[in-house]
Amino acid sequence: MSLFRPFFSALGLFLRNPAILVALLLTMFPEASVRADPPDARVQLEQKARYWEKHHRVDLAAAAYRQILFLYPGDKEALTGLIQAYLFEGKSDRASPLIRSFEKRYPQSPYLPVFQREDALGQKWIVLIDRARKEETDRHYARAEALFRKAFGNGFPPPSLAEEYFHLSEKIPGGRNMALSELKALTERYPENGSYRLAYGEILSDQESTRRKGIRILAALARSQAPEAPKALVQWKKSLLWAGDNPSYLPELSQYLKAGPDPAIMHLLERARRRALAEGPLPEKAFSALHRGKMEEARDRFLLLTREDPDNPSYWTGLASAQLGLSRPDKAENALKQVRQLPLSRQRRRIVNRLERQVRYWEWIAKGRRQARKGHLSKAGLLYRLARKIEPGQTAAPDLLAGVELRLNHPRQALEIATQVLSRHPKDPQAISAFLGALDSLGRYREAANFLQSLPPGERQRMERSSSFLVLEGTVYAHTGQVDRADRMLSEAGRSPLPLTNRDQIARGWAYASLGETLPLESVLKSLRTSPDLSVEEASQVHQLEHLDLHLTVDRLLARKDETGARNRVQSFLQDHPGDRTALREEVRVDLAGGQTENAFSLLCSLHPENHYSGARFAIASALESHHTKTAGKWLEEARAHWGNRTGLTILDSRFLADSGHVRKARQILKKALERFPRSVKLHLALARLDLRQNHSREARKEALEAQKRAGEEIGAEHQADALEAANTLAAISTQETALSGSHFEFLLGETAFTQYTQYYYTQIGGFFPVGFLQGEKGEAPVYLHAFVQGNAFTFQYHPTVTSASFLSQTYVGTTPALGVRLPTFFGSVEADAGWGFALHDQTLTPPGLVSGLFLQGDLSADIAGGNLDLFANYTGYISYTYFQSRYLHPFWSNPEKDYSLAAGPEFIVQGNSNYSAFQGGGALRFSLLPIDSTLLLDIGALGSSAFGGVGGYEGFSWYFYY
């Protein structure tokens, strides 16, 4: 025994410490250690996390999820669980960065919008959910459902709350149908999510009418590897027990037993078989179910019959009919393949041939739908046409074809197809929608609105159960200017329990854009950006909507004179979409609105050449607005070479010619275009603006009224914009007519001081009174009678002799009434005035005396090179004094609204009489204040006179008020 003692001692050690034995075996047999499957640490940790969640220890569950993420970074389930734990604990600071990481990794997850909603609400989310559960406990089901919905916002229930929420919905009148509709949409959108499928299967299996479909969903989920599989298995069995011993469930009972033995289900199967024998022949039940439209029951019964009697052709044709009724043409085709192998009577062959046509019909439609989902609309249209040829009397193919034609922007073809269908099936909902959509796309908005009104109330209410129809209805109302109705329909569509399809959301966005409502448009765009399944066509439309949203937002901000806000909005868009040409055009608009014309022109040049008509028009118009007329003319020639003489280019051509000084030619081309398109609102408006530019108020008003009339005859957002522009043009004409035909009051106050001991103070009050019209620089302009009274005080000092050091002083204080006329000219205006002056003369060592004499005055104003040249002269007879002034001022700054502006330039003055002469040269600065109809002028310079040697200086100030 002593020889074996060490062996037994070692054996005892191994038995007391199995781990040592395992380690020794792994050392002796290393290959075994490689091939062995150790327990999965991740599974163990996930089970631990779920255990703690079940026992309401969220902190410990979060710790387990953190361990999983440490071992498996980015694990989807662990990241989901950890975010949920942090949100439940109110640790938003920890949840937010994880949500951003989750969004980058799993942008298509159904948890993402819920996480974002929870993060936004914070503790309010937990409060709302707790209140909802309490209301449900108290059997206040409607209140509970409303609180859940308030927590979810515009989103959908998260997977973790799907069962709880949708079972609650069942308890509300009408809630079951809404729950089924929403769950169907969610399972289609997130087919991999087991929670939604489980809830869908449970609710379907609650009632006999939908139980079979629910059982199929639960069976598929139970056989999967999803975490919800165990619960699905339990519910699968429960649903079969609810079905009882109904013989039609024989296939489902047999299928369940394939997953494993179950005494209860086995007993139910035996009872169902005995009942089937007792109730009579199965074929009668199968054909009865088919005739009653119970396609699922018929299919299941015919499947049993074909197994029992595979040589009976009526069973196979019955099965094919049931599969067609369930929209499974592929399985119907398989059944017909079995029929063809059997001997058939002539009557049976006719039945088979008819079924084969139906199968081909629905196969083409199924293929067309797949192509349409992929965005291959032309291929889908071809397949629908093939289906239509097979069964011309059925509506499915033409309905789908009309929808495809609309998406291909072929509204005339869609309208023709929908009209044909409605002539035979006036209540067909798809044809009604296609007809309405085609009228709207063709711009026949009034007809679309009338068609809506013509629908019977019951039919219309039935149609409005569809969110797609609500969006279409809202679009028609938006285009016909019925804003309140449009908003109501579009909002109701957004509140639909079913998530809107991408196409419906895009249509909703276009409707809000036509209403100019940017806030709901931005909400729609936010929803679309998070959509996981945008097609190429849909993504392109979303990008167009983003551009339109940017344009409308910039419009709104510029209307509020918020140039900084508009610029920030454009820059924000460019950060997300660098180099986006549409956004850069919006930046050009902001620059032009802010008076930064050179920046705008530089940006326009960087975008040239434009490949789209609208872009080319924008570039030409902006170049004209930034005063780069030559470049605008060059771009205009390029655009005409590419797009021909379109109306928009004709209008720009007339504007270019007018800016180049060829006003008569600009008018001719607009008149010629109106001969071809007499109903064009835009051409009438362009001609009105050109006439207004030339001060032809009467002709401008005539054209603007015609434009307003034409715009009022049509319905639509574009025509509403034209009508608004016509109204603005008429308002501008009225303002100009008032300005041209009315009298004007003037007031002048100023002073000039010389370093050579001379001061001149003056004031003037008067008015301009129109007495007629002449052709001026910008068309017809009024001839004014100018009546005024001047008041002045002139003081100067001088040495009585050249060698004298003392001064003598002279002062003239007087008034001059005068009358004159101001005439418009091709370069500006000329004025001539005459009057008689009186003054009190006071001189050192001389008694005061009254003097009088003739007063003459003349003025010439000319617009040259963007500035203004003013030549002014007067003669004062009581001192035989002549004054001549030339001044050129060029504007160099103005605010965006052009209310305030600065101009500067040189001036030269010559003045004197037989005893005195002076020469002045300097500069002047003019500040125009349009809000108070005033001009402030400062001038300063050098002076040389005959009274004193050397060079002196002068300064002056004047304020001119003209109203």
Side-chain angles (χ1 to χ4, degrees):
M1 287 295 291
S2 60
L3 292 175
F4 294 97
R5 186 179 299 275
F7 170 75
F8 285 114
S9 299
L11 181 60
L13 177 65
F14 292 148
L15 292 174
R16 290 193 302 272
N17 300 279
I20 299 176
L21 178 61
V22 172
L24 179 62
L25 289 172
L26 291 176
T27 305
M28 294 172 64
F29 304 101
E31 293 183 2
S33 67
V34 173
R35 290 193 299 270
D37 293 326
D40 188 350
R42 186 201 170 285
V43 173
Q44 293 180 355
L45 287 169
E46 186 174 14
Q47 290 173 348
K48 183 189 294 185
R50 294 191 184 281
Y51 171 83
W52 289 124
E53 284 178 338
K54 186 177 179 180
H55 289 80
H56 308 293
R57 289 300 305 273
V58 181
D59 54 336
L60 296 177
Y65 284 130
R66 283 196 295 270
Q67 291 178 47
I68 296 174
L69 290 170
F70 178 77
L71 295 172
Y72 305 94
D75 183 89
K76 185 176 182 180
E77 286 73 18
L79 188 56
T80 302
L82 185 57
I83 293 172
Q84 285 179 319
Y86 281 153
L87 288 171
F88 184 82
E89 292 181 294
K91 297 178 179 178
S92 180
D93 55 330
R94 293 190 180 184
S96 295
L98 292 178
I99 292 172
R100 289 193 292 271
S101 174
F102 191 89
E103 183 176 8
K104 291 178 182 177
R105 289 174 179 270
Y106 312 109
Q108 299 180 12
S109 170
Y111 284 97
L112 179 60
V114 182
F115 287 162
Q116 292 169 335
R117 175 70 176 170
E118 284 189 60
D119 190 34
L121 289 177
Q123 285 295 318
K124 190 177 179 182
W125 168 274
I126 300 171
V127 172
L128 287 169
I129 299 299
D130 287 344
R131 284 178 56 198
R133 286 170 174 161
K134 185 179 183 304
E135 292 289 353
E136 184 179 8
T137 303
D138 296 340
R139 298 188 178 185
H140 300 152
Y141 302 127
R143 294 182 196 171
E145 196 269 347
L147 287 167
F148 272 121
R149 274 293 172 194
K150 188 175 181 181
F152 304 152
N154 293 327
F156 43 81
S160 57
L161 295 175
E163 278 188 276
E164 181 179 0
Y165 172 74
F166 289 114
H167 280 302
L168 166 66
S169 297
E170 279 191 290
K171 301 171 184 176
I172 301 171
R176 184 175 187 273
N177 290 335
M178 293 176 64
L180 288 175
S181 298
E182 191 166 356
L183 278 168
K184 180 183 178 184
L186 289 170
T187 53
E188 289 174 354
R189 186 170 183 178
Y190 303 107
E192 76 291 344
N193 188 275
S195 297
Y196 291 138
R197 286 193 290 157
L198 176 63
Y200 193 30
E202 288 177 349
I203 293 178
L204 283 169
S205 63
D206 283 348
Q207 292 188 11
E208 174 61 32
S209 60
T210 55
R211 182 168 294 143
R212 200 179 306 275
K213 184 176 181 180
I215 288 173
R216 283 204 306 275
I217 293 171
L218 292 169
L221 184 58
R223 293 194 299 269
S224 71
Q225 299 298 318
E228 295 80 10
K231 291 183 72 173
L233 183 64
V234 172
Q235 189 63 35
W236 182 13
K237 178 180 177 179
K238 190 183 295 184
S239 302
L240 289 171
L241 292 173
W242 287 339
D245 58 358
N246 188 333
S248 68
Y249 283 91
L250 283 169
E252 283 82 1
L253 292 166
S254 301
Q255 186 184 39
Y256 183 87
L257 289 172
K258 290 178 182 177
D262 187 288
I265 300 299
M266 181 69 74
H267 176 66
L268 201 60
L269 177 64
E270 292 301 326
R271 286 174 52 197
R273 284 173 176 167
R274 287 196 300 271
R275 180 179 166 186
L277 292 172
E279 286 183 355
L282 189 60
E284 287 185 14
K285 290 185 172 296
F287 285 110
S288 173
L290 186 65
H291 294 150
R292 286 183 289 113
K294 303 289 187 180
M295 296 301 172
E296 291 183 352
E297 180 185 344
R299 178 201 58 194
D300 295 337
R301 292 186 183 279
F302 278 119
L303 281 171
L304 283 173
L305 288 168
T306 54
R307 290 183 195 134
E308 293 177 3
D309 186 4
D311 295 330
N312 190 325
S314 64
Y315 296 164
W316 289 111
T317 54
L319 179 60
S321 298
Q323 297 287 18
L324 276 175
L326 293 169
S327 301
R328 295 302 304 268
D330 52 337
K331 294 197 172 184
E333 174 65 22
N334 292 335
L336 291 176
K337 284 179 182 177
Q338 300 294 327
V339 179
R340 294 190 199 104
Q341 298 174 14
L342 302 174
L344 302 173
S345 66
R346 182 178 299 177
Q347 182 181 2
R348 182 64 57 186
R349 191 171 296 281
R350 283 199 299 269
I351 294 172
V352 171
N353 290 339
R354 187 173 69 249
L355 283 171
E356 284 178 337
R357 284 199 308 274
Q358 287 286 315
V359 167
R360 288 200 308 276
Y361 179 81
W362 289 107
E363 279 181 339
W364 287 127
I365 286 179
K367 289 178 181 178
R369 281 175 168 151
R370 286 196 293 272
Q371 293 295 335
R373 280 195 295 269
K374 294 177 183 177
H376 303 156
L377 300 180
S378 297
K379 291 181 180 178
L382 178 61
L383 292 166
Y384 294 147
R385 287 188 184 91
L386 290 172
R388 192 181 184 190
K389 288 179 181 178
I390 295 170
E391 292 287 351
Q394 293 210 28
T395 61
D399 284 345
L400 291 166
L401 180 58
V404 164
E405 294 290 6
L406 275 178
R407 291 174 65 184
L408 286 168
N409 199 24
H410 300 156
R412 294 188 185 281
Q413 291 89 324
L415 183 64
E416 181 181 351
I417 295 166
T419 303
Q420 292 171 2
V421 175
L422 288 173
S423 66
R424 297 190 301 270
H425 307 280
K427 293 185 178 182
D428 183 69
Q430 283 75 27
I432 289 173
S433 294
F435 185 81
L436 195 60
L439 288 175
D440 187 79
S441 298
L442 287 167
R444 293 159 62 174
Y445 306 127
R446 184 167 289 154
E447 289 180 57
N450 291 339
F451 178 74
L452 262 178
Q453 295 299 323
S454 70
L455 290 175
E459 186 71 21
R460 190 164 169 181
Q461 288 175 4
R462 183 174 65 87
M463 295 288 294
E464 287 176 350
R465 294 173 190 166
S466 162
S467 55
S468 299
F469 187 79
L470 285 171
V471 171
L472 181 57
E473 196 174 5
T475 301
V476 171
Y477 288 141
H479 287 159
T480 51
Q482 302 178 62
V483 179
D484 292 339
R485 275 185 161 186
D487 279 333
R488 188 170 66 253
M489 293 302 168
L490 295 172
S491 299
E492 190 174 337
R495 292 192 299 270
S496 169
L498 288 176
L500 292 178
T501 65
N502 292 331
R503 286 174 56 199
D504 286 340
Q505 280 285 44
I506 289 168
R508 194 162 163 251
W510 284 115
Y512 278 128
S514 69
L515 291 169
E517 297 180 4
T518 54
L519 290 179
L521 174 57
E522 287 168 5
S523 176
V524 168
L525 286 171
K526 184 179 179 181
S527 171
L528 286 168
R529 290 187 195 107
T530 59
S531 176
D533 52 355
L534 281 175
S535 68
V536 175
E537 174 204 3
E538 290 165 347
S540 173
Q541 290 207 43
V542 170
H543 199 48
Q544 292 175 39
L545 277 174
E546 288 177 327
H547 285 156
L548 189 52
D549 175 51
L550 175 65
H551 181 80
L552 291 171
T553 303
V554 170
D555 265 353
R556 188 181 76 245
L557 292 170
L558 290 181
R560 286 161 36 189
K561 300 183 180 180
D562 185 4
E563 180 195 331
T564 303
R567 192 175 300 281
N568 290 340
R569 179 69 178 86
V570 172
Q571 291 303 321
S572 173
F573 191 94
L574 284 169
Q575 286 178 2
D576 296 332
H577 306 85
D580 186 276
R581 294 176 69 88
T582 301
L584 291 172
R585 292 190 197 103
E586 294 300 324
E587 189 173 0
V588 170
R589 289 180 62 212
V590 176
D591 283 340
L592 289 173
Q596 302 178 30
T597 54
E598 291 307 313
N599 288 353
F601 182 70
S602 175
L603 194 51
L604 279 174
C605 291
S606 71
L607 292 171
H608 190 74
E610 292 284 0
N611 297 321
H612 298 283
Y613 175 63
S614 59
R617 284 178 56 199
F618 175 82
I620 296 164
S622 300
L624 287 169
E625 191 170 345
S626 59
H627 309 298
H628 288 272
T629 311
K630 185 175 180 181
T631 303
K634 177 185 173 184
W635 290 350
L636 189 57
E637 289 178 8
E638 294 173 359
R640 272 203 298 262
H642 193 74
W643 290 287
N645 290 321
R646 291 195 182 185
T647 301
L649 295 180
T650 300
I651 292 171
L652 287 171
D653 194 12
S654 72
R655 184 175 166 187
F656 163 73
L657 289 169
D659 286 355
S660 303
H662 306 295
V663 178
R664 183 175 296 176
K665 193 173 181 182
R667 184 178 177 80
Q668 286 174 352
I669 67 167
L670 287 176
K671 281 288 190 182
K672 189 175 180 181
L674 270 171
E675 290 174 3
R676 293 178 58 202
F677 308 106
R679 296 185 62 83
S680 172
V681 177
K682 297 189 184 303
L683 284 172
H684 282 294
L685 284 172
L687 190 55
R689 286 192 296 269
L690 183 63
D691 287 336
L692 182 63
R693 180 174 179 166
Q694 295 181 273
N695 293 334
H696 296 162
S697 303
R698 187 178 303 169
E699 290 84 350
R701 181 174 292 279
K702 178 182 175 183
E703 295 296 340
L705 287 171
E706 184 66 21
Q708 191 177 51
K709 175 186 173 185
R710 299 290 185 195
E713 291 171 353
E714 303 293 339
I715 293 178
E718 183 180 358
H719 298 295
Q720 289 172 3
D722 288 340
L724 179 61
E725 188 173 353
N728 291 337
T729 304
L730 286 166
I733 293 168
S734 297
T735 301
Q736 189 182 75
E737 285 177 337
T738 301
L740 292 176
S741 61
S743 301
H744 299 276
F745 168 77
E746 67 169 351
F747 175 73
L748 174 66
L749 180 68
E751 62 87 19
T752 301
F754 305 90
T755 57
Q756 296 181 345
Y757 310 109
T758 303
Q759 296 84 36
Y760 179 56
Y761 305 94
Y762 53 92
T763 186
Q764 178 175 305
I765 187 168
F768 290 87
F769 307 95
V771 292
F773 287 88
L774 288 176
Q775 191 69 23
E777 179 187 15
K778 298 180 180 179
E780 284 190 356
V783 175
Y784 286 112
L785 179 69
H786 188 192
F788 59 93
V789 176
Q790 276 189 0
N792 47 55
F794 183 52
T795 300
F796 60 94
Q797 295 174 310
Y798 59 96
H799 296 291
T801 63
V802 177
T803 58
S804 174
S806 61
F807 285 100
L808 294 180
S809 174
Q810 285 196 62
T811 301
Y812 290 90
V813 179
T815 183
T816 304
L819 191 67
V821 63
R822 177 178 291 182
L823 304 175
T825 66
F826 68 92
F827 52 78
S829 66
V830 293
E831 180 175 340
D833 307 303
W836 195 264
F838 304 90
L840 181 65
H841 177 226
D842 187 12
Q843 183 174 352
T844 305
L845 305 176
T846 304
L850 183 67
V851 294
S852 65
L854 181 66
F855 171 81
L856 299 174
Q857 180 172 279
D859 182 71
L860 182 149
S861 177
D863 294 325
I864 299 174
N868 178 262
L869 173 66
D870 185 65
L871 303 178
F872 174 81
N874 66 17
Y875 170 77
T876 304
Y878 53 73
I879 52 174
S880 302
Y881 197 85
T882 303
Y883 177 93
F884 175 78
Q885 169 190 288
S886 65
R887 177 185 291 149
Y888 180 78
L889 298 179
H890 195 284
F892 65 89
W893 174 87
S894 67
N895 71 325
E897 294 75 30
K898 314 293 183 186
D899 292 337
Y900 307 99
S901 62
L902 287 172
E907 68 175 8
F908 300 96
I909 301 171
V910 178
Q911 57 182 317
N913 55 18
S914 58
N915 301 320
Y916 172 81
S917 62
F919 303 90
Q920 298 168 230
L925 176 69
R926 183 183 67 203
F927 183 31
S928 298
L929 299 92
L930 193 60
I932 58 172
D933 302 293
S934 297
T935 300
L936 298 176
L937 189 134
L938 303 172
D939 57 347
I940 190 169
L943 165 72
S945 73
S946 59
F948 297 90
V951 177
Y954 73 95
E955 61 82 20
F957 160 81
S958 68
W959 173 44
Y960 184 66
F961 176 76
Y962 178 84
Y963 177 74

